[in-house]
């Protein structure tokens, strides 16, 4: 009660929870760095918010609101997992929060944050030399960069993803990259190039019988 009166903490959720923000949060983190219990607290923090992220990973307004209300804690937990070299948790945070199509960070316009977590997932993929993961996260990062107007780097990552998908024989991934490159070309006024890329993507999707992707290509 005294801390709350001094504005050092505040209550949330009808006074059921306490929150620290700003300077108090930074001082708390600094104190934790010197606390021997940190080795216990930090993994629990990551685990608690990873469960929360995955419990609200559906693309609904209610789940987006729930994730947005805990955005700072979720991002902090993802960063902490990376520092602790908990690679699996970082990838799970990225999948739950930062997918371009339906991740809360992307949908609600937190593109810097989505890019940061997706970038961590891509960095991990490179460190493990996992071509499949590199292709996936290169594509995802490229979509976010394209949304931000960073087209040159987006195109480079799309090309990287596409080359890997070719080598792996992943036709679905290849078609998706072609579609995104076509959209990028269209936005830049390169209409003939856009048509060529869309047609190539359409050809692959027809062979695969992927009707949802065919509809996107035709649109």
């Amino acid at each position: 009660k005294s801390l709350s009166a001094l504005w050092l903490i505040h209550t949330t959720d009808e006074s059921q929870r306490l929150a620290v923000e700003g300077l108090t949060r930074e001082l708390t983190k600094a104190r934790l760095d010197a606390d021997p219990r940190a080795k216990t607290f930090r993994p629990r923090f990551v685990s608690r918010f990873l469960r929360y992220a995955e419990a609200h990973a559906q693309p609904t307004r209610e789940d987006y609101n729930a994730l947005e209300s805990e955005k700072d804690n979720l991002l902090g937990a993802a960063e902490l997992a990376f520092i602790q070299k908990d690679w699996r948790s970082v990838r799970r945070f990225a999948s739950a929060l930062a997918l371009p199509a339906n991740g809360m960070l992307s949908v609600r316009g937190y593109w810097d944050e989505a890019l940061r977590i997706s970038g961590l997932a891509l960095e991990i993929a490179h460190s493990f030399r996992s071509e499949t993961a590199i292709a996936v996260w290169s594509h995802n990062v490229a979509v976010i960069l394209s949304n931000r107007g960073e087209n040159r780097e987006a195109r480079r990552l799309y090309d990287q993803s596409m080359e890997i998908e070719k080598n792996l024989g992943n036709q679905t991934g290849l078609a998706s990259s072609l579609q995104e490159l076509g959209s990028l070309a269209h936005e830049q006024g390169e209409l003939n190039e856009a048509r060529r890329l869309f047609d190539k993507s359409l050809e692959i999707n027809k062979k695969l019988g992927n009707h949802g992707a065919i509809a996107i290509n035709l649109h």
Side-chain angles (χ1 to χ4, degrees), residues 63 65 67 75 80 89 103 111 116 131 138 151:
D63 279 339
N65 288 343
L67 292 175
L75 294 171
L80 184 55
S89 291
W111 288 342
R116 174 60 181 156
E131 288 195 327
S138 292
N151 296 328

Side-chain angles (χ1 to χ4, degrees), residues 1-118:
K1 184 176 181 180
S2 298
L3 289 171
S4 180
L6 292 170
W7 292 2
L8 296 174
I9 63 173
H10 71 271
T11 59
T12 63
D13 303 334
E14 298 180 351
S15 300
Q16 295 302 305
R17 299 178 63 198
L18 301 176
V20 291
E21 293 181 342
L23 178 60
T24 310
R25 188 182 185 94
E26 294 307 310
L27 291 172
T28 304
K29 288 165 63 178
R31 177 64 179 268
L32 184 59
D33 288 338
D35 194 312
R37 295 170 294 176
K39 291 182 179 179
T40 300
F41 290 153
R42 285 182 169 131
R44 286 171 55 189
F45 181 78
V46 170
S47 178
R48 184 252 189 269
F49 283 103
L50 180 56
R51 290 196 305 271
Y52 185 90
E54 293 182 333
H56 297 283
Q58 296 302 311
T60 66
R61 181 178 65 180
E62 292 76 16
D63 279 339
Y64 286 152
N65 288 343
L67 292 175
E68 192 167 17
S69 71
E70 294 286 1
K71 178 173 66 71
D72 290 343
N73 281 324
L74 292 165
L75 294 171
E79 295 274 1
L80 184 55
F82 185 79
I83 292 170
Q84 294 179 153
K85 298 184 179 181
D86 183 358
W87 311 134
R88 184 167 180 268
S89 291
V90 175
R91 289 194 296 263
R92 288 168 63 186
F93 271 117
S95 295
L97 299 172
L99 294 180
N102 55 19
M104 183 278 292
L105 295 174
S106 301
V107 172
R108 292 282 169 96
Y110 297 107
W111 288 342
D112 288 343
E113 292 85 347
L115 185 60
R116 174 60 181 156
I117 295 184
S118 297

Side-chain angles (χ1 to χ4, degrees), residues 115-132:
L115 185 60
R116 174 60 181 156
I117 295 184
S118 297
L120 293 179
L122 179 57
E123 186 175 336
I124 291 168
H126 277 292
S127 70
F128 280 93
R129 298 181 180 178
S130 169
E131 288 195 327
T132 300

